[in-house]
Amino acid sequence: MSNVPDARQQEQDERQESFRRLLRSLPVWDTELPHFDPAAAPDDPLPLFQQWLSDAARAGTPEPHTMSLATAGATGRPSVRTVMLHDADERGWHFATHRTSRKGRELAARPEAALGFYWPAVGRQVRIQGTVTAADAAESRADLGKRSPGALAAALVGHQSEELSSYAELERASEAAWERARREPDAPVDSWTLYVLAADEVEFFQGDARRRHVRLVYRRTGPGSWTTGLLWP
């Protein structure tokens, strides 16, 4: 009787246990973290968010302007991905994508989303949820025009979230897009859309090595009006 299945199971078990040991060994906030006094927080979450992102950048957090974007389609099934923050102002938090992509289609069906930022160098997180609106074509074109040639080339490739037959097909499309981006730095991409999330809730999380985390939540009560409160960690 062959013992090959038993050997494979043992190998799988050992690999799984090795993975669990790795997870348990990873340090969490093994550095001095900044102090956050929620009583000194501003009345509006935007200035605090801008300050925290700036702090994270100065602390050496790589790409502090990247964020998780969670959307859901008509059925309510969620999906999440990492995207780049393009701006944060009195209108809300800005990001962009092809409206024909999965997230674009989901936002068309259900114009609500949640954002998540995590900056490990300072032990901070920010969670944002609210309603999303699409900017008009002129503002969307202007947004793409402010980005790098590489971003334009990627946008020109298009077909985001569609099935890809082979990597070679992507290489050919990408090379053609790079050539066009260099030749036409203002090349239009009709599907490129700027989105703005108007927050109705923003939570700021300051980690603490003793696990006495501070969670400050802002809830919108009207135009330009917020209430604040603390949450148990």
Side-chain angles (χ1 to χ4, degrees):
M1 186 174 184
S2 172
N3 63 354
V4 171
D6 291 340
R8 288 177 178 171
Q9 184 61 51
Q10 181 179 356
E11 181 181 356
Q12 180 178 334
D13 291 345
E14 290 174 351
R15 184 169 59 249
Q16 185 64 44
E17 182 56 32
S18 175
F19 178 71
R20 290 171 179 150
R21 286 197 301 270
L22 172 64
L23 288 178
R24 292 191 292 268
S25 71
L26 294 173
V28 178
W29 298 329
D30 59 346
T31 185
E32 184 175 351
L33 298 176
H35 173 70
F36 172 52
D37 178 7
D43 295 334
D44 187 297
L46 179 62
L48 183 57
F49 172 82
Q50 293 174 335
Q51 182 62 55
W52 274 29
L53 191 147
S54 299
D55 291 345
R58 284 192 293 269
T61 299
E63 300 179 353
H65 58 322
T66 57
M67 60 188 182
S68 298
L69 166 66
T71 58
T75 64
R77 187 178 181 89
S79 60
V80 66
R81 74 287 289 163
T82 301
V83 299
M84 184 180 297
L85 177 70
H86 289 201
D87 198 2
D89 58 18
E90 66 281 353
R91 293 167 58 195
W93 280 256
H94 301 218
F95 61 92
T97 188
H98 294 279
R99 64 175 176 271
T100 52
S101 67
R102 177 175 176 175
K103 51 188 173 295
R105 296 194 304 270
E106 289 181 343
L107 288 169
R110 186 186 295 259
E112 297 174 299
L115 307 175
F117 293 84
Y118 177 49
W119 301 308
V122 287
R124 288 174 172 173
Q125 302 179 54
V126 178
R127 298 193 309 118
I128 306 165
Q129 63 184 44
T131 302
V132 179
T133 57
D136 61 27
E139 190 174 8
S140 295
R141 283 196 301 271
D143 172 78
L144 184 57
K146 296 172 186 175
R147 303 192 68 202
S148 67
L152 173 59
L156 286 168
V157 170
H159 304 292
Q160 192 173 64
S161 304
E162 297 177 14
E163 294 290 335
L164 177 65
S165 61
S166 69
Y167 188 73
E169 182 181 7
L170 172 59
E171 288 182 314
R172 289 192 295 270
S174 177
E175 185 61 34
W178 272 96
E179 290 180 4
R180 186 180 177 193
R182 286 189 287 263
R183 188 174 64 251
E184 300 177 52
D186 297 323
V189 182
D190 291 339
S191 61
W192 187 259
T193 304
L194 179 70
Y195 293 92
V196 182
L197 184 150
D200 52 50
E201 184 172 303
V202 184
E203 181 192 327
F204 294 84
F205 174 103
Q206 173 64 71
D208 180 84
R210 296 172 297 173
R211 302 304 190 265
R212 300 175 184 176
H213 313 310
V214 179
R215 295 178 65 188
L216 174 67
V217 61
Y218 288 79
R219 296 185 177 95
R220 186 185 293 277
T221 56
S225 179
W226 301 83
T227 60
T228 59
L230 296 175
L231 302 175
W232 282 88

